[in-house]
Amino acid sequence: MNHSLKPWNTFGMQRNANQIVRANDARQLLSTWQSATKNDEPVLILGEGSNVLFLDDFAGTVIVNRIMGIDVKESADYWHLHVGAGENWHHLVQYTLEKGMPGLENLALIPGCAGSSPIQNIGAYGIELKHVCDYVDCIELATGTTQRLTAQQCRFGYRDSIFKHEYQGRFVIVAVGLRLSKSWQPVLSYGDLACLDPATVTARHVFDAVCHMRMTRLPDPNVNGNAGSFFKNPVIGSEDAQTFLAGWPAAPHYPQADGSVKLAAGWLIDQCQLKGFSVGGAAVHRQQALVLINQNNATSDDVVQLAHQVRQRVGEKFNVWLEPEVRFIGRTGEVSAVEAIA
């Protein structure tokens, strides 16, 4: 158990695994998984480790998915991209803009790989993956059977998909199909993007604004380890929302199609004066309260205790209970993050 996971998680946690294998194609990934399983070893498949917290050493094999490649086809109205799961997401966004294919610019600088994007249904500044996803190619690990799921079959929800439920641990994503419309419409509803002029704005303007917002408000994982947004933005029912907004009319809130209302977790945490609050070596980021950082050689216990404190303070003040967006990984696999911090 001496293979360090520190380079493979953006939190920078010093944990080890029995074995780490970098898989460059589906066949290698599959054979590694099947041989570990045959030996009754736990297996974890990682992209760039940008959304995980290792609670312990991992008592098995970690497979790093590095299936690469970007293929582009055109139809009359769309660009169709077939993207290997191991491609870096931000590099993909840059690639599409350089090739004159807008549509992903709001999703710039989201850490991680393309193959992780459907699991979380990644989203930022008014766009989610589900708006541009055409299909997801995956392989059933036990049988090696390939399957192409349509976007509808992926059951995308807010930071959610089928890959967090019945497909979790059973299937691995090997490629993502994206469909970008040639009749581009800017999405300028969030943050500083609202200041841009819809009549003259270009996709490059949006990209630059998103990069500026993220770089000035979010910590650099190379300086302070982190996993981006630690908590999901809570979604509450319409009745609860009425009660909440009666007490906090200035709170940022975003009505959803089903009548529920999404709240801003960062705002809730900030209202509890928790920016800069620390437990051990872990702290709430001073610029963006939604991000927990590895400030000074934090242990995973420090992060868990900090997340517990944040959840308690917000829950007691607002009666809104935050849930982690980050996946918690124990000795043999993923564990319930909510239970870990409750």
Side-chain angles (χ1 to χ4, degrees):
M1 171 97 50
N2 58 358
H3 296 274
S4 175
L5 288 164
K6 192 168 184 178
W8 303 108
N9 74 100
T10 58
F11 247 120
M13 291 293 153
Q14 181 48 65
R15 295 294 190 183
N16 295 316
N18 281 356
Q19 184 179 209
I20 300 173
V21 176
R22 182 186 168 115
N24 298 317
D25 58 47
R27 184 179 299 172
Q28 185 188 7
L29 192 156
L30 201 56
S31 66
T32 305
W33 187 91
Q34 289 180 344
S35 105
T37 306
K38 200 172 174 182
N39 296 329
D40 290 326
E41 273 187 63
V43 191
L44 176 69
I45 300 172
L46 275 187
E48 293 186 355
S50 60
N51 196 47
V52 295
L53 176 66
F54 286 105
L55 302 180
D56 211 328
D57 289 339
F58 190 72
T61 298
V62 171
I63 303 174
V64 180
N65 186 338
R66 284 296 173 269
I67 300 170
M68 308 301 275
I70 304 173
D71 295 316
V72 182
K73 291 187 170 68
E74 284 190 54
S75 63
D77 300 320
Y78 294 95
W79 292 285
H80 304 268
L81 285 78
H82 181 87
V83 185
E87 289 285 348
N88 175 274
W89 178 264
H90 180 64
H91 291 168
L92 170 66
V93 176
Q94 290 176 306
Y95 172 89
T96 57
L97 284 180
E98 284 160 11
K99 299 290 183 185
M101 300 181 290
L104 299 182
E105 55 284 336
N106 294 54
L107 303 176
L109 278 182
I110 292 181
C113 290
S116 307
S117 63
I119 301 173
Q120 287 284 103
N121 181 28
I122 60 169
Y125 303 109
I127 291 281
E128 292 182 330
L129 182 81
K130 69 178 182 182
H131 298 132
V132 293
C133 182
D134 192 14
Y135 59 82
V136 176
D137 283 350
C138 52
I139 296 177
E140 188 172 28
L141 289 159
T143 63
T145 308
T146 57
Q147 192 174 349
R148 174 166 289 186
L149 298 184
T150 64
Q152 191 174 7
Q153 289 171 319
C154 290
R155 295 214 315 264
F156 290 127
Y158 173 59
R159 300 295 175 270
D160 200 25
S161 70
I162 195 171
F163 303 105
K164 282 191 162 188
H165 300 284
E166 56 263 53
Y167 274 42
Q168 186 175 7
R170 291 179 48 219
F171 288 79
V172 61
I173 294 169
V174 292
V176 178
L178 303 176
R179 187 173 58 185
L180 303 180
S181 174
K182 291 184 175 179
S183 54
W184 176 73
Q185 294 289 326
V187 176
L188 307 174
S189 46
Y190 280 72
D192 297 352
L193 300 183
C195 304
L196 299 174
D197 181 355
T200 57
V201 72
T202 66
R204 177 61 67 172
H205 292 150
V206 176
F207 173 86
D208 290 342
V210 168
C211 289
H212 179 74
M213 283 189 284
R214 293 188 79 95
M215 288 166 74
T216 52
R217 296 172 191 176
L218 298 174
D220 181 347
N222 296 317
V223 179
N224 290 122
N226 70 88
S229 300
F230 194 90
F231 296 100
K232 299 176 187 176
N233 287 320
V235 179
I236 59 178
S238 55
E239 284 185 25
D240 288 339
Q242 283 180 356
T243 306
F244 174 85
L245 290 169
W248 307 93
H253 60 284
Y254 307 95
Q256 305 297 293
D258 62 0
S260 62
V261 175
K262 187 194 294 182
L263 304 177
W267 184 88
L268 298 172
I269 298 166
D270 196 15
Q271 294 303 301
C272 298
Q273 275 92 46
L274 287 170
K275 280 181 179 170
F277 178 74
S278 63
V279 172
V284 179
H285 190 242
R286 290 184 183 277
Q287 273 74 48
Q288 172 49 274
L290 196 50
V291 179
L292 306 188
I293 61 171
N294 180 350
Q295 183 169 260
N296 186 19
N297 296 319
T299 66
S300 48
D301 287 344
D302 293 341
V303 178
V304 170
Q305 286 307 312
L306 177 62
H308 168 77
Q309 292 287 344
V310 170
R311 185 175 191 264
Q312 286 300 119
R313 299 269 193 101
V314 170
E316 286 161 12
K317 188 176 181 80
F318 296 105
N319 196 30
V320 174
W321 297 88
L322 299 179
E323 297 186 5
E325 188 174 309
V326 174
R327 297 170 63 203
F328 284 25
I329 310 296
R331 278 185 66 75
T332 59
E334 189 164 356
V335 299
S336 165
V338 173
E339 287 176 19
I341 69 167

